[in-house]
């Protein structure tokens, strides 16, 4: 269990580092949209692994959780990076939420919020599925 915890932390740290290192090169104007290419790059091998598991009748539920969790982490990291980028404008706004509304504008903040809530709902659904089925089957 400790090994898995360390591996997850290394994976999240590596993905966060890549997001920061490639920030200027990634497509998209805002942080949450910049997270998508990295999440797809993370999920592509998971998809291939899932196909192999499907062919061998192996368990795959934790694979979906890993892909969705990485997308959520990268999306939230992108939002925080946007806030940090515009932190010099902080004195002009009462709160971080006001600053975020000015960065994403009114029409885009609802889209970004819906995107984050959809990811959280996907994680909750996967976790509920795992709980209803008694967790991941032993390997």
């Amino acid at each position: 269990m400790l090994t898995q915890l360390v591996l997850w932390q290394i994976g999240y740290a590596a993905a966060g580092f890549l997001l920061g290192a490639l920030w200027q090169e990634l497509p998209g104007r805002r942080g949450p949209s910049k997270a998508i290419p990295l999440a797809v790059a993370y999920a592509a091998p998971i998809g291939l692994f899932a196909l192999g598991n499907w062919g061998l009748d192996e368990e795959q539920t934790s694979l979906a959780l890993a892909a969705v969790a990485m997308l959520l982490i990268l999306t939230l990291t992108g939002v925080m990076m946007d806030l940090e980028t515009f932190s010099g404008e902080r004195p002009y706004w009462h709160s971080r939420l006001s600053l975020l509304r000015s960065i994403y504008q009114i029409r885009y903040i609802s889209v970004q919020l819906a995107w984050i809530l959809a990811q959280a709902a996907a994680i909750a659904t996967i976790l509920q599925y795992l709980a209803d089925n008694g967790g991941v089957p032993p390997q």
Side-chain angles (χ1 to χ4, degrees):
M1 188 165 114
L2 184 61
T3 303
Q4 286 298 317
L5 179 68
V6 169
L7 289 175
W8 274 87
Q9 295 306 314
I10 290 171
Y12 286 134
F17 173 77
L18 280 174
L19 184 66
L22 298 174
W23 186 254
Q24 297 297 322
E25 306 301 322
L26 291 170
R29 294 180 56 192
R30 291 170 184 85
S33 63
K34 287 181 177 257
I36 293 172
L38 284 178
V40 168
Y42 180 79
I46 290 176
L48 290 174
F49 190 70
L51 282 175
N53 281 355
W54 176 73
L56 297 172
D57 278 340
E58 296 283 328
E59 166 278 316
Q60 345 190 42
T61 52
S62 62
L63 298 175
L65 180 62
V68 174
M70 182 59 77
L71 178 60
L72 181 62
I73 294 294
L74 289 174
T75 300
L76 293 175
T77 302
V79 169
M80 294 309 293
M81 288 179 73
D82 284 344
L83 282 172
E84 194 61 35
T85 300
F86 292 98
S87 64
E89 296 183 14
R90 176 91 167 119
Y92 305 113
W93 304 103
H94 299 293
S95 66
R96 292 181 76 120
L97 183 60
S98 298
L99 177 59
L100 199 60
R101 279 198 327 244
S102 78
I103 293 170
Y104 292 146
Q105 303 168 354
I106 294 297
R107 63 179 176 254
Y108 292 119
I109 192 141
S110 60
V111 172
Q112 301 300 337
L113 184 59
W115 175 238
I116 291 170
L117 289 176
Q119 292 172 36
I123 289 176
T125 302
I126 293 169
L127 288 174
Q128 181 67 36
Y129 175 79
L130 291 173
D132 288 346
N133 290 331
V136 178
Q139 296 179 0

